[in-house]
Amino acid sequence: MKKIQLILPVIASLFIFSCSNYTDINQNPNDILYGNLAPSELLSAAQSDTYRVQSITMNRLGNLLTNAWSENASVYGATIFNQQQYTLELNSTFASSIWNNLYLKVMNFHLISQYPNPTGQYDYYIAASKICKAHYLQYIFDLYGNAPYSKAFMSTVNETPAYDDDQVVYRAQIADLELAWTIIDNAQAAGTAENISGSDIMLGGNMDNWKAFANTVELRMLMRMSGSTGAVAAFRDAHLAVVASRAFVSTDVTINPGYDGSASASSGNPFWYNFVQSSDNLTIVPSGHAYHALFNDYLNASTTTIPGSPGVSYANVSDPRGAKVFKKGSGVNSIMAITQGAQATDVYNSTVANTTNPVLKLGSLGIGLSNPYSQVAASPSSNLSTVNGYVMTLTESKMLQAEAKLRGFIPGGDGGAQADFLAAIDASFAFLSVTTADATTYKNAIATIPYYGWTGTFDQKLHAIMYQKWVGLMGIHGMESYLDYIRTGYPYTPLALNTTRLNKPNRFVYAASEYTNNSANVPNIQINDLFTVNNFSPFWLQGDPALGN
């Protein structure tokens, strides 16, 4: 596979560059200022670096907060569950790397979008960068509410940027997504824009696919406003009319800068290195909730209810995807799991005794997520570190469309929503290399079960969408599932056993770096503000908040 030359940013007061140790650089990037680099020298670095934030930190935290993953108390002891993601006693250190790294690594996209372009030569670079910038910065405003935007990315010109209203930023980012579509259309008609395939490690320079990705990101942003009223709802509906007429993502949006098989944090597929090849293959384990959801070989499977739900039972259906998302521990015939906050393994096949070495007996993350090419192996092998990463999957795209049609936001009605829902499940099975026959059997098994198949009330169907989306994104994009949960309350998700909080947080605390370096501007949020809907919450939870300036 061809390697892409990347120049990767390092956080510093002047935002100078250093190079990745897995790419070939023909010049010393430490001597180059951002303004001297052409878009072709920035795009692949920006794509690679931002994806690593999504696939590692955001993915891990999202899977823990949605109770798909747990951590191995048999390795660390019960104190592992004293971490903030379980107790929910959050502070400014919690998830701070998401804030710091997204801002840092989106810088390249911002610079490309501002690059001088009098002849239209860089139209495709600018359009792709606007789309990626919206995709990644969305998570800043979803997870933190108001944050710097209009005065951000100014380096030493403004090291203490003011905070912008998150609703204003959402509107600006949506405008950029629609502008990117127009830029591409005009550039395609003119035929003068530079081909970006040599630098584009996501979509290989296919600009029709970039337009579809932009439209699907916009749909996701508009669906965040699904519960909004008044002026926010009017804005949402006006732009939904735009996206409904355009194409959506119809195949997985992948990324691969030339991942290789070496045992290096920077050179392999990020999911593979961080969650399968590294020590996390013993520390990240299936949660009891995920086990109950995906399997039905435990005691009382037909009557076990989801903790915290209004009496809703688990589906009691064996999901073939479970054996791909998770794999067995050493020397056992079952995937053993641990409930978040529990002291030992407490969920496992009823025929397997609770053995004397739970460190090795507990399940771990499976090879399915990093081996979606029907190359099913008995055990992971290092060559799988070369496979693609996934920025957005077809499953996510189809589930977004299913929800929009169920709500009547875009044309299609209940029948169209059901078709997208089933197509999303098929895409999830295909992604994990599970057979079409198994997918059909599973869909038939859940067809008449409210909350899991397409049957029952609006809320039951909405839960089914969010549940199947949670399974489909498990290990791939956990943070997206978490934000869906905050927005809709679905799928029903238990709290860790050791938390005293009554619900998951609606947002995070600003990073400690803001309180140190930008104290005059950072809002003074208190921990209890995280757990109620108030003016610190993301605007899309507030109904119809006034539009900021």
Side-chain angles (χ1 to χ4, degrees), residues 442-462:
Y442 175 77
K443 288 185 294 182
N444 289 339
I446 63 168
T448 59
I449 305 176
Y451 299 100
Y452 301 99
W454 200 261
T455 186
T457 66
F458 171 89
D459 281 330
Q460 289 169 331
K461 290 177 180 177
L462 181 60

Side-chain angles (χ1 to χ4, degrees), residues 308-386:
S309 75
V312 175
S313 296
Y314 288 101
N316 188 28
V317 171
S318 179
D319 188 333
R321 291 172 293 181
K324 289 298 189 75
V325 175
F326 302 113
K327 64 176 182 169
K328 301 169 187 175
S330 175
V332 294
N333 296 320
S334 176
I335 294 171
M336 298 169 64
I338 186 167
T339 293
Q340 291 185 351
Q343 306 304 305
T345 54
D346 65 336
V347 181
Y348 48 91
N349 183 297
S350 58
T351 65
V352 178
N354 196 349
T355 55
T356 57
N357 192 353
V359 173
L360 297 178
K361 306 306 180 186
L362 275 168
S364 60
L365 299 184
I367 64 172
L369 295 178
S370 46
N371 181 20
Y373 302 106
S374 301
Q375 302 169 351
V376 179
S379 61
S381 58
S382 61
N383 67 342
L384 297 182
S385 70
T386 65

Side-chain angles (χ1 to χ4, degrees), residues 65-185:
L65 287 172
T66 58
N67 216 318
W69 293 356
S70 187
E71 288 174 287
N72 195 336
S74 299
V75 173
Y76 293 110
T79 56
I80 190 68
F81 294 121
N82 293 336
Q83 295 183 97
Q84 295 179 71
Q85 58 263 34
Y86 303 111
T87 66
L88 302 181
E89 296 302 317
L90 309 185
N91 60 34
S92 60
T93 65
F94 181 73
S96 60
S97 63
I98 294 177
W99 173 281
N100 293 331
N101 285 322
L102 280 181
Y103 268 117
L104 170 65
K105 297 176 189 304
V106 164
M107 180 71 165
N108 280 349
F109 293 131
H110 174 77
L111 291 167
I112 293 171
S113 70
Q114 302 299 307
Y115 199 82
N117 186 38
T119 66
Q121 174 185 358
Y122 298 114
D123 279 353
Y124 290 156
Y125 287 102
I126 290 170
S129 292
K130 286 180 178 292
I131 296 165
C132 287
K133 183 180 177 183
H135 167 70
Y136 287 107
L137 276 190
Q138 174 189 0
Y139 293 104
I140 288 288
F141 297 92
D142 287 339
L143 295 173
Y144 297 96
N146 295 349
Y149 178 73
S150 60
K151 302 299 182 182
F153 310 113
M154 297 177 70
S155 189
T156 55
V157 175
N158 185 357
E159 296 179 330
T160 57
Y163 277 55
D164 292 282
D165 185 308
D166 57 341
Q167 184 186 166
V168 173
V169 176
Y170 246 66
R171 292 179 181 230
Q173 294 285 70
I174 286 170
D176 264 358
L177 288 168
E178 295 182 356
L179 176 58
W181 185 289
T182 301
I183 290 172
I184 294 170
D185 271 348

Side-chain angles (χ1 to χ4, degrees), residues 19-76:
C19 61
S20 164
N21 64 2
Y22 74 103
T23 54
D24 300 319
I25 299 292
N26 297 320
Q27 53 191 334
N28 178 10
N30 289 316
D31 294 333
I32 305 171
L33 295 177
Y34 272 106
N36 295 331
L37 292 173
S40 59
E41 298 174 283
L42 291 172
L43 182 62
S44 55
Q47 291 173 334
S48 178
D49 269 9
T50 46
Y51 173 68
R52 296 185 76 84
V53 182
Q54 174 181 318
S55 64
I56 302 173
T57 312
M58 289 170 57
N59 188 29
R60 179 182 182 127
L61 186 58
N63 279 286
L64 291 171
L65 287 172
T66 58
N67 216 318
W69 293 356
S70 187
E71 288 174 287
N72 195 336
S74 299
V75 173
Y76 293 110

